[in-house]
Amino acid sequence: AAAAAVALGRIATEPAAAALEAALPQAPATLRPALLDACLTCGSRLSETGHERRAQALFDRLLGLDVAPGVRAAALRGAIVSRGTDGVPLLLEHLRGTDAGGASTAFWVAQHDLPGGEVTSALAAALPSVPAERQGALVAVLCARGDSAALTAVTGLARGTDKALRLAALRGLGRFAAAPAVPPLLLD
């Protein structure tokens, strides 16, 4: 049964995804890890082959289950990435939320998986609404993206009064291609 689940995950068609989903509720505990892994594989492959909506449904289904933290993180990543820029609200929800694991996954996705100025602008705009203890990490993510869409926000933080955010911004400013932003900070 585990080998069949793995095979269905690799096949990654609509019927394969439906079969995996149908097996989830009655799967014995011994089969559940292989079945969940197969669902993650199937969702990723569906997303890669242009079947994003089906992938989203599969990832969302996994997010609705009581699963191990690693499975939850992978499902959240898949749910956000398969939506592309439409996944930004879900990403921001987890950056702002109370679940540290969800926030960690959202930070990873923001830094590595969702390119583009539109995403960077949304992240920069969300900075004030992110819990204070996560703002420094978000500044680091914005700087790691190196996208000029965040330069105004990061430069503003570098000039700000919050020492932790100022330090995070100053550390990351060198990652921006628009390095001419740094000298004016020295004059402040």
Side-chain angles (χ1 to χ4, degrees):
V6 169
L8 286 171
R10 288 181 181 159
I11 292 170
T13 60
E14 299 263 347
L20 289 168
E21 271 192 288
L24 281 170
Q26 69 266 10
T30 56
L31 179 60
R32 192 165 167 89
L35 187 56
L36 291 169
D37 187 58
C39 287
L40 291 170
T41 299
C42 185
S44 293
R45 289 185 177 202
L46 284 167
S47 185
E48 292 166 1
T49 58
H51 297 90
E52 291 87 0
R53 287 200 187 274
R54 186 64 183 102
Q56 292 164 22
L58 189 54
F59 289 130
D60 290 348
R61 173 79 187 274
L62 294 177
L63 286 173
L65 300 176
D66 182 22
V67 294
V71 173
R72 183 162 188 71
L76 177 57
R77 179 188 175 276
I80 296 169
V81 172
S82 66
R83 286 173 167 81
T85 56
D86 290 339
V88 171
L90 183 59
L91 175 93
L92 295 177
E93 174 187 326
H94 286 276
L95 287 177
R96 294 175 180 134
T98 59
D99 175 30
S104 179
T105 300
F107 279 123
W108 174 266
V109 170
Q111 185 167 340
H112 300 284
D113 293 329
L114 283 182
E118 182 180 340
V119 175
T120 303
S121 294
L123 290 168
L127 187 60
S129 66
V130 171
E133 66 273 8
R134 294 186 186 150
Q135 288 180 353
L138 183 51
V139 170
V141 165
L142 287 169
C143 292
R145 291 175 68 87
D147 189 331
S148 62
L151 190 56
T152 301
V154 174
T155 304
L157 290 171
R159 291 184 172 130
T161 58
D162 183 306
K163 289 181 182 181
L165 292 179
R166 183 178 177 145
L167 184 58
L170 288 170
R171 282 185 178 143
L173 273 173
R175 294 183 144 209
F176 290 92
V182 177
L185 290 173
L186 300 174
L187 301 175
D188 285 350

